[in-house]
Amino acid sequence: MKVDQKGHTTIIKDTQNNVEVFVDKITNKYQTFQGQNLILDVLHDKSLSNKDLIHFKELAKIHKKSKKSMLIISDSIDFDKVPNYLIVVPSVLEAHDMIEMDEIERDLGF
């Protein structure tokens, strides 16, 4: 797990290609990332499928309560079948764009 913090956003990169272990590590260290927008980079895991996204459900629910964004970066899944509780984008640039839009919506009270 590689962590890179820039301003109000933390990018956490999976280095082991094991989604379950990755989510457990983030959950165990969640206090550290709680007040940040999170970008969870699993681009290197080409075996990731939509079925694996269930591991992110509890983390997404917890993070939503802190009124911050949490996005997953992956290009190996079917974006049409992503559950409603998650935001999955294919690149880091798109993740930053989504966070910017979320911040604007929160500032406007949506």
Side-chain angles (χ1 to χ4, degrees):
M1 185 167 93
K2 182 181 173 195
V3 179
D4 184 25
Q5 189 170 357
K6 292 180 182 175
H8 57 56
T9 301
T10 299
I11 301 172
I12 306 172
K13 189 175 220 169
D14 180 20
T15 56
Q16 296 181 340
N17 293 342
N18 185 327
V19 174
E20 199 169 348
V21 171
F22 180 57
V23 172
D24 284 343
K25 284 182 179 181
I26 295 169
T27 304
N28 290 336
K29 296 182 178 187
Y30 183 72
Q31 292 296 98
T32 310
F33 313 120
Q34 185 172 341
Q36 297 283 309
N37 294 307
L38 294 179
I39 297 175
L40 308 179
D41 184 349
V42 290
L43 272 172
H44 287 61
D45 189 354
K46 298 302 179 190
S47 66
L48 186 76
S49 68
N50 288 68
K51 192 171 106 177
D52 297 320
L53 296 176
I54 192 72
H55 297 294
F56 292 99
K57 185 176 184 174
E58 285 304 311
L59 184 61
K61 192 172 17 171
I62 292 167
H63 201 65
K64 187 173 184 167
K65 289 179 185 176
S66 69
K67 299 197 183 222
K68 293 291 181 180
S69 302
M70 185 185 98
L71 296 96
I72 299 166
I73 303 174
S74 176
D75 59 1
S76 62
I77 61 159
D78 183 353
F79 293 99
D80 293 330
K81 295 181 181 174
V82 172
N84 291 339
Y85 56 84
L86 291 178
I87 301 171
V88 182
V89 294
S91 71
V92 175
L93 179 61
E94 288 183 69
H96 284 290
D97 289 346
M98 289 294 295
I99 287 174
E100 225 175 283
M101 291 184 345
D102 285 350
E103 292 283 330
I104 291 168
E105 286 180 1
R106 283 192 287 270
D107 288 346
L108 293 173
F110 291 106

